[in-house]
Amino acid sequence: MSIKRRSFLKAAGVALPLPWLESLAGAAPSGANPGRAVFFMVPSGVNMWRWHPKEFGPDYQLSSTLQSLAPVREELTIFSGLEHTNGAGGGHTEVGAWLTGNEKFKDIHGPTEPNAISIDQHIARSIGDRTRIPSLVLSAPGGSVTTSFDAAGAPVNAENNLRRLFGELFGAADVMARLQSRASVIDIVGDEARGLSRQLSRNDRNRFDDYLQSVRDVEGRLQKDREYFSSRPLSISGDDLPLDADPQAQRQEYFRTMLDLVALALRNDQTRIVSILACGSAHEFFGRWPDFGNFTGHHSVSHDLGHFDTEEQRPLQYAFMEGVDKWFIAHLAHFLQTLNDTREGDATLLANTMVLYGGGMSWTHNPSNLPMLLAGGSRLGLKHGSHLRFNPHKDFKGQLDRNVKRDETTVCDVLRTMSERLGVPAEGFGNSRRVVNELLVG
């Protein structure tokens, strides 16, 4: 088999799909590896005394919360002062606003009113057809607990079952059987539809032709899935992975495995757009965190810090929040290091992947000065290594600088910048006013 046709390695009955390789893709200019974006949200606020570095610019020192990111420090940018326009995402609406910037999305208890499209789905509409999975949407609770919303503002259901996710990514037997079953059903529907079409009036036939086209689109997707998996009977074994880890009772194993599967999906170019949500806002999905204190949960502790108290005033609560913050940052650090250790052409997977991490609350339910950072994407034109400050923001007393300008830099400006680094125009996305040139090379 020639190298240009070789797409997987075979040994001992196992077929392992290869990542994107310049040799397999034919002659390509340096830096032509596919670009990717990952959006990772952790709701309910942080210990703001410990999250942001105290210094700004390239000479900043990582805060105690962010210390585990030291190995990839030069591959990330930390933001201070980012927020959504007009306080979008305040209270418990942070999840719905984080990737949309929709200030009109005010529902507290769930997505019962239409939202706006989220940036991951905006990007996927343009480039999602370049991979088998247009976008990967994940959350620990699953279902409609999601940061992703489609063009109609409806939530894109999130996957939370690791075994099912593994099957979708690597072709488990039950997935192959389901694909074949779905394909045969669609073939039957297509035959019946074509027969019926001959009996219809011209106007009805036009409407029915639209339906047939939608059937063909689905058939095409299923055929692509079958072709993908037919040459990869089972790419890796799931026997050694904790695919049945419970996200509540075994959250350490759960998140590590989820992020490892995401890294594999990116490496094998099965998808280029991923959104990950730790949990919803306004409820205690994970319950207690006994390692960090004897409290009911993360969200309830954040309510205890609603008046910008000092660490001396609330030492146990702030220590608890910092413990949770460090826990998630450690998982992020492992994920980034995995991407950075993965060679892709003459660069790394991290160099070709932008990873936005953060939340929609800072001081308890305050939607200003959000804890956010951006990593990776140096081959996509991003420059890193700094702590950037944009808008004058609320201090520890909750006082807003009166000199704040109307043309403030927003989260949507960062989302737009990421989208356009992937070649997808996003002018005016949410309330974006500009590309964040401070993030760009040159």
Side-chain angles (χ1 to χ4, degrees), residues 186-376:
I186 287 190
D187 287 342
I188 292 172
V189 171
D191 291 339
E192 293 288 337
R194 283 185 286 273
L196 178 60
S197 178
R198 293 191 290 268
Q199 306 175 39
L200 300 177
S201 67
R202 178 178 299 177
N203 289 337
D204 283 343
R205 189 176 299 122
N206 289 337
R207 296 189 188 96
F208 214 63
D209 284 345
D210 291 339
Y211 166 74
L212 287 179
Q213 185 58 51
S214 68
V215 172
R216 293 187 189 101
D217 291 342
V218 174
E219 287 177 333
R221 168 65 189 277
L222 291 170
Q223 181 62 30
K224 185 185 297 185
D225 284 348
R226 289 200 303 274
E227 291 172 354
Y228 181 91
F229 285 123
S230 65
S231 62
R232 301 161 173 83
L234 186 60
S235 59
I236 63 174
S237 172
D239 294 343
D240 297 327
L241 294 174
L243 297 177
D244 297 312
D246 184 276
Q248 295 168 314
Q250 299 168 292
R251 47 182 170 250
Q252 178 80 17
E253 295 86 351
Y254 180 86
F255 272 99
R256 176 64 65 91
T257 304
M258 175 188 280
L259 293 173
D260 284 347
L261 291 177
V262 169
L264 283 170
L266 296 173
R267 182 176 187 173
N268 292 337
D269 202 26
Q270 297 196 55
T271 190
R272 298 177 186 174
I273 310 299
V274 183
S275 66
I276 305 166
L277 175 62
C279 60
S281 192
H283 62 86
E284 300 290 4
F285 176 76
F286 291 116
R288 296 182 181 274
W289 296 74
D291 291 347
F292 308 130
N294 187 27
F295 294 98
T296 302
H298 187 203
H299 175 256
S300 62
V301 172
S302 73
H303 269 284
D304 291 341
L305 307 174
H307 301 288
F308 304 92
D309 295 328
T310 65
E311 288 187 295
E312 290 74 17
Q313 291 173 302
R314 300 278 187 169
L316 297 180
Q317 288 87 344
Y318 275 117
F320 177 92
M321 293 292 286
E322 184 184 14
V324 175
D325 298 340
K326 286 183 174 181
W327 190 91
F328 279 110
I329 290 294
H331 282 280
L332 173 67
H334 170 77
F335 177 65
L336 296 179
Q337 192 63 57
T338 298
L339 300 186
N340 203 38
D341 289 342
T342 303
R343 299 300 302 177
E344 188 171 59
D346 60 350
T348 68
L349 187 54
L350 182 60
N352 294 303
T353 305
M354 298 174 288
V355 181
L356 184 70
Y357 174 92
M361 295 183 186
S362 54
W363 299 99
T364 311
H365 288 37
N366 194 321
S368 67
N369 193 17
L370 299 180
M372 295 183 68
L373 62 84
L374 178 63

Side-chain angles (χ1 to χ4, degrees), residues 16 23 39 48 52 78 99-100 109 112 117 140 148-149 190 217 221 260 276 296 299 324 330 360 388 397 432:
L16 178 67
S23 299
F39 305 90
M48 288 290 284
H52 287 102
I78 300 168
L99 294 183
T100 68
H109 298 293
T112 58
I117 190 170
S148 296
F149 295 82
D217 291 342
R221 168 65 189 277
D260 284 347
I276 305 166
T296 302
H299 175 256
V324 175
L388 300 180
K397 295 182 179 179
S432 172

